[in-house]
Amino acid sequence: MRIALLGGTGDIGQGLALRFARDTDHEVLIGSRDPEKARDAVETYEENLESRGADADVKGFANEMAADRADVVILSVPPYYAGDTVEAVADNLDEDTILVTPAVGMQGDEDGLHYHPPGAGSVTELVADRAPDEVPVVGAFHNLAADALSDLDNNLDLDTLLVADDDDAKETVRNLANEIEGLRALDVGPLANAAEVESVTPLVINIAKYNDDLHDVGVKFH
């Protein structure tokens, strides 16, 4: 498959790009509003992967072009850009495209980070509202630390939680996530459960904030 990471030059985009490129045989497309920025990121990612003996297939494009070429499109953008990004690439999506969002709405103060969902109830539901009706939306990769993903010397042992109303799309993303070494995807039901999944993210960040020996906290269920 072709996996497009829109906003793939940012932290979570970099981490997912490196993991997919190293651990799977899928083609990875890095998207950005500035295609030159995407190509610069690809050069950096390829150097990282080649230094570890990985022969990766990574290319850089403008967001619209990356989405147009992809089977799975991951919105690796900040939550306040998620809706606008979907609308910007809507004409490049169709019923054969799976749209994935890992974004979480949060607000911070001196005590830590707090869950701050949009009016739609969750960022995942906001994305589904903005996406074309025929495009299935899956919420995934919310609770993963970007630094842990980007450090390929770090061996993962984490779960990622998936929500979607389209079971086939959810299964595709579940299989894709399971191809990343050390990552296990768990089904948490329909999009209506997205808020519960997203709200775990500020929790794990606050755990890292208040415990010096826990820098890249994630979730693992037994």
Side-chain angles (χ1 to χ4, degrees):
M1 291 190 296
R2 284 178 171 172
I3 306 167
L5 293 142
L6 308 190
T9 61
D11 291 345
I12 188 68
Q14 174 180 333
L16 289 172
L18 291 172
R19 295 285 173 168
F20 282 129
R22 189 194 67 174
D23 295 345
T24 80
D25 293 328
H26 305 299
E27 183 178 349
V28 177
L29 311 179
I30 303 302
S32 173
R33 288 179 295 176
D34 178 355
E36 189 62 34
K37 186 176 180 181
R39 288 188 284 270
D40 288 344
V42 166
E43 186 174 337
T44 300
Y45 298 168
E46 287 180 335
E47 290 174 357
N48 188 337
L49 291 159
E50 289 170 4
S51 71
R52 290 168 169 80
D55 183 17
D57 189 3
V58 186
K59 296 181 176 67
F61 300 97
N63 279 334
E64 293 83 357
M65 193 171 293
D68 190 61
R69 286 165 162 72
D71 303 295
V72 175
V73 174
I74 301 176
L75 294 167
S76 48
V77 297
Y80 41 85
Y81 290 136
D84 290 345
T85 302
V86 172
E87 292 182 354
V89 302
D91 291 342
N92 306 99
L93 307 173
D94 58 34
E95 61 185 6
D96 295 321
T97 311
I98 299 173
L99 188 59
V100 180
T101 171
V104 175
M106 295 181 286
Q107 284 187 337
D109 58 28
E110 62 183 10
D111 297 320
L113 285 175
H114 310 285
Y115 185 48
H116 185 70
S122 66
V123 177
T124 307
E125 290 167 295
L126 181 150
V127 167
D129 288 345
R130 298 283 190 93
D133 290 342
E134 69 275 14
V135 176
V137 172
V138 180
F141 309 118
H142 300 95
N143 314 131
L144 303 176
D147 289 346
L149 286 174
S150 298
D151 181 2
L152 293 179
D153 293 326
N154 179 47
N155 295 321
L156 301 179
D157 183 21
L158 297 170
D159 293 331
T160 184
L161 309 177
L162 274 58
V163 290
D165 291 339
D166 186 306
D167 289 339
D168 290 338
K170 189 194 297 179
E171 186 63 18
T172 297
V173 176
R174 182 176 183 172
N175 291 334
L176 187 62
N178 284 334
E179 290 186 60
I180 294 178
E181 187 176 338
L183 191 63
R184 180 180 65 165
L186 299 176
D187 189 344
V188 190
L191 291 178
N193 294 339
E196 286 74 20
V197 172
E198 292 179 16
S199 65
V200 175
T201 300
L203 170 64
V204 298
I205 294 173
N206 289 334
I207 291 172
K209 173 182 173 69
Y210 285 104
N211 295 271
D212 292 339
D213 57 336
L214 296 173
H215 297 294
D216 297 321
V217 181
V219 293
K220 185 73 177 178
F221 295 92
H222 298 282

